[in-house]
Amino acid sequence: MKLSFKLLLIFLCFFAILACTVRGEKGSRENPILFSMVPAKDTRTLMLHGEEFSKWMEKETGLHFQVTVPTSYIAVVEAFGSKRVDIAYLNTTSYFLAQEKYQVEAEFITLNRDGSNHYKGQFIVRADSKIKKLEDIKGKKIAYVDPTSASGYILPAFMLKQKAIKPAQEVFAGKHDSVVSMVYQKQVDVGATFYSIPEDGEIRDARSLVRTQYPDVEEKIKVLAYTPSLMNDAVVFRSDLDEALKEKLIKAIEKWIQTPEGKVTLKALSNGSNLRRVKESEYSESRKIIKEMARSLGQK
């Protein structure tokens, strides 16, 4: 005997309710808050400090968190589409892509030590390199970070294209520290990474990420030129996250960033010194610039 359509609906509803019950409320042990970061730095470093953030948040909110660092920038963006991430710390370009495709919402922007909210990229070469100006990059091998990295690709690549400077070979290293290492080891002639202002007399740009491995990196690797500026990285939320839950998380993050451990963790994650609430409209000019540059470079 065939089940009636009405009875079939009852069964479907029952199993849907059962599935939700088994999975649990968002923030439960069975259904934790999913926090993710783009792999801009060493994955182990990001995971370590991401876990410190999640432990603090768990203690503050009573909710459960799970931290991930996917293998690529675009993987974090696409995770929003499949609801495999609820909150993410995104570089500016990845945020623009996620906002356009999945309507994510930026809630916080990173602030520099001087209180500014912009960053830029830099071209780096070995101190003993024959490359003395941008024009000398023509015919050389350059390492970029990722196609969706503003400081590590879009900004510097656009600058070279504007000046009709064509490298002989372009490679993507995946992370900023990897680009620095490739330049240091002479695997490439020039690299493109993020720049941060020095702090207490010490460099804070991408070269600082490999100081443990290469103590003389500041002497061996120099900055050749800088790119234009863009708005800083953002903490973004999935658009359909429950509003009450979202407000609870926002208040906890506001409290976290005022703690000593919050300051240390943020610096490790992004070289930032603080966070502040941000409006989508504040990113409009940077979004326009990135779209124009990406279009010029043949990206969608």
Side-chain angles (χ1 to χ4, degrees):
M1 182 182 295
K2 293 184 179 180
L3 292 174
S4 68
F5 181 68
K6 185 175 182 180
L7 186 57
L8 180 60
L9 285 179
I10 292 175
F11 272 111
L12 290 175
C13 289
F14 170 76
F15 284 116
I17 293 172
L18 180 62
C20 291
T21 303
V22 170
R23 193 179 182 195
E25 294 278 342
K26 172 56 71 173
S28 64
R29 190 180 301 277
E30 300 77 18
N31 188 15
I33 305 294
L34 305 175
F35 173 65
S36 190
M37 297 163 281
V38 293
K41 299 182 179 181
D42 176 70
T43 300
R44 286 179 297 179
T45 299
L46 292 175
M47 281 297 298
L48 173 65
H49 292 283
E51 289 288 355
E52 290 177 352
F53 166 75
S54 69
K55 287 177 182 178
W56 192 95
M57 291 289 286
E58 287 182 350
K59 184 177 180 180
E60 176 67 21
T61 64
L63 301 171
H64 293 273
F65 287 73
Q66 181 178 320
V67 180
T68 61
V69 182
T71 56
S72 68
Y73 286 49
I74 198 64
V76 184
V77 173
E78 293 304 326
F80 277 106
S82 56
K83 297 186 179 182
R84 288 179 289 110
V85 60
D86 301 306
I87 309 174
Y89 196 86
L90 297 181
N91 67 305
T92 309
T93 312
S94 294
Y95 159 54
F96 292 160
L97 287 173
Q99 202 280 330
E100 185 174 323
K101 293 190 69 174
Y102 304 116
Q103 295 74 55
V104 300
E105 300 168 348
E107 296 294 343
F108 294 92
I109 187 172
T110 307
L111 298 181
N112 305 321
R113 190 184 182 195
D114 61 359
S116 62
N117 59 9
H118 287 71
Y119 75 102
K120 54 188 175 183
Q122 62 183 12
F123 291 90
I124 56 173
V125 296
R126 284 185 59 90
D128 58 5
S129 172
K130 293 182 179 180
I131 299 175
K132 306 299 180 183
K133 55 185 184 298
L134 285 179
E135 286 73 16
D136 296 336
I137 296 176
K138 183 178 180 180
K140 299 297 191 296
K141 186 176 182 179
I142 185 171
Y144 293 115
V145 177
D146 184 277
T148 61
S149 171
S151 62
Y153 176 62
I154 296 177
L155 290 171
F158 182 74
M159 282 182 67
L160 295 184
K161 185 171 184 177
Q162 274 191 317
K163 295 178 177 291
I165 300 170
K166 189 173 182 179
Q169 186 178 355
E170 300 176 342
V171 298
F172 290 101
K175 298 180 289 186
H176 291 270
D177 48 347
S178 296
V179 170
V180 180
S181 294
M182 291 180 74
V183 175
Y184 188 96
Q185 296 170 4
K186 298 184 179 181
Q187 295 176 357
V188 296
D189 302 299
V190 60
T193 70
F194 73 84
Y195 168 78
S196 291
I197 60 174
E199 184 175 321
D200 298 327
E202 294 188 358
I203 57 172
R204 296 300 302 170
D205 59 64
R207 291 175 295 170
S208 66
L209 302 178
V210 300
R211 188 184 286 124
T212 300
Q213 186 177 1
Y214 306 116
D216 60 349
V217 66
E218 187 173 0
E219 291 73 42
K220 291 293 181 66
I221 305 296
K222 68 177 184 178
V223 178
L224 179 70
Y226 300 100
T227 72
S229 298
L230 287 176
M231 291 281 283
N232 276 347
D233 300 349
V235 178
V236 305
F237 285 66
R238 184 158 55 83
S239 60
D240 58 351
L241 205 60
D242 177 77
E243 284 299 323
L245 175 60
K246 185 186 299 183
E247 285 304 313
K248 184 175 184 177
L249 294 171
I250 287 173
K251 289 181 179 179
I253 292 174
E254 288 177 327
K255 187 174 181 180
W256 168 77
I257 195 55
Q258 299 306 317
T259 66
E261 55 264 48
K263 300 288 186 183
V264 171
T265 299
L266 182 65
K267 179 183 284 189
L269 293 178
S270 69
N271 282 6
S273 294
N274 207 340
L275 294 174
R276 75 160 172 81
R277 295 297 301 277
V278 68
K279 295 180 179 179
E280 160 64 21
S281 59
E282 294 182 61
Y283 278 97
S284 58
E285 186 59 30
S286 288
R287 179 180 283 104
K288 180 180 178 182
I289 291 172
I290 284 294
K291 278 190 174 182
E292 291 176 352
M293 289 183 175
R295 191 179 301 114
S296 175
L297 294 172
Q299 296 182 348
K300 293 182 179 180

